[in-house]
Amino acid sequence: MTWLLAAALALAALLPLAWTLWRPAPVQDRGAADRALYRAQIAELERDRSMGRLDEAAHAAALLEVQRRMLAVPEPRPARSGGRAPLVAGLVFVPALAFGLYVLNGVPGMPSATFAERSDAAARDERLLAQLRARLTAMPPGSPAARQGWLLMADAQRNRGKPAEAAAAYVEILRGGFDPEIAAQLAQVLIESRQFDQAIAFLADALPLAPGHVGLRFLSGLAEAQAGRPEQARAAWTALLASAPEDAPWKTMVQRRMEALP
C-alpha cells in the first residue's frame, strides 16, 4: 500500500511536465505582443479620425510614430530544436533517482509508533524531569548550575505544553535573584496559560525592580488587554510609546496592538 501511494504521488507531481511534453504550448516571439499593441493603436487612431477627434495633420503624425515603432520591433527568430531534451531528462531521471535513493535508505515497512510506545516515551521523559527537579532542588538557588538547570526545565516544560510547570521553574530561577528577562518569560507563560490576574499581580511587583524594561511594560499592557481591561492596557502602552526612542523597532507593533483594542 505504501508503494502504491508513493507511486501515485510521484505520478501526480510529474503530470504537468508530461503534459507539457505531450502538448507543448505554441512558441511566440518576444515582439508579438508589441506588434499587437501597435496594431491596436493604429485602429484607435483611425477611429479618432473618423469621429473628428483628430485632424489629418495630427493623425498623420501619430500614425507615422506608431509605424516607426512597429518597424523597430525585431523579427521573430525560428525556434531552436532540442528544447524538449531537458524536460525529457527530468521526467525520466528524477523519478529514477528518487526511487534509487528510497530503495537504498528508505524503510517502507517501518510501522508508526503505537499509543503504548508513545505513552512509554512520555512516562520516561516525566521520570527524567522528576530526577532533574530533585537534583536542582538540592542545589543552592543562586548557583550557576541551578540556574542553567531550571532554564532547561522551563524550556522542556514549555515544549511539552505544560505552562504551569514552566512557570514553577522560572519562579525557582528568580529565587536566586531578580532577572528582568526571566521575569518577562514568567509573565508570558502566565499570560499564555490564561492566568491573567496572576500575571498582572506579578508584573506589578516586577516593574518597580526594572521600570525601564520594555518587555515587562509591554506584557503589563498585554495582560490587561487579555483580561478584558482595554483602558488599562491602553494606558500602559501609551506610556510605553511616550518614552520610546524615535527609531524603536517595536513601536509599530505596539501601535497596532493599541488600534486593535475595543
Side-chain angles (χ1 to χ4, degrees), residues 20 23-29 79:
T20 301
R23 296 289 300 272
V27 179
Q28 295 183 354
D29 64 284

Side-chain angles (χ1 to χ4, degrees), residues 31-45 66 70:
D34 292 338
R35 285 189 290 271
L37 174 62
Y38 294 144
R39 284 193 293 269
Q41 290 179 348
I42 292 175
E44 184 177 359
L45 290 175
V66 173
M70 183 177 290

Side-chain angles (χ1 to χ4, degrees), residues 2-18:
T2 303
W3 287 102
L4 291 176
L5 180 60
L9 291 175
L11 180 62
L14 293 172
L15 274 178
L17 180 59

Side-chain angles (χ1 to χ4, degrees), residues 48-132:
D48 289 343
R49 184 181 63 171
S50 63
M51 297 177 64
R53 295 176 181 174
L54 289 176
D55 57 22
E56 290 297 332
H59 173 266
L63 180 61
L64 181 62
E65 176 62 21
V66 173
Q67 291 173 342
R68 183 190 64 79
R69 294 181 182 181
M70 183 177 290
L71 290 173
V73 176
E75 292 297 322
R77 297 180 180 179
R80 292 178 296 177
S81 61
R84 300 173 64 185
L87 295 179
V88 174
L91 186 62
V92 176
F93 178 72
V94 172
L97 178 61
F99 179 79
L101 291 176
Y102 188 74
V103 168
L104 292 176
N105 301 305
V107 188
M110 178 180 290
S112 60
T114 64
F115 176 77
E117 291 172 338
R118 295 195 298 270
S119 299
D120 292 341
R124 183 171 58 253
D125 292 343
E126 191 63 42
R127 288 193 299 270
L128 291 175
L129 289 174
Q131 295 174 3
L132 176 61

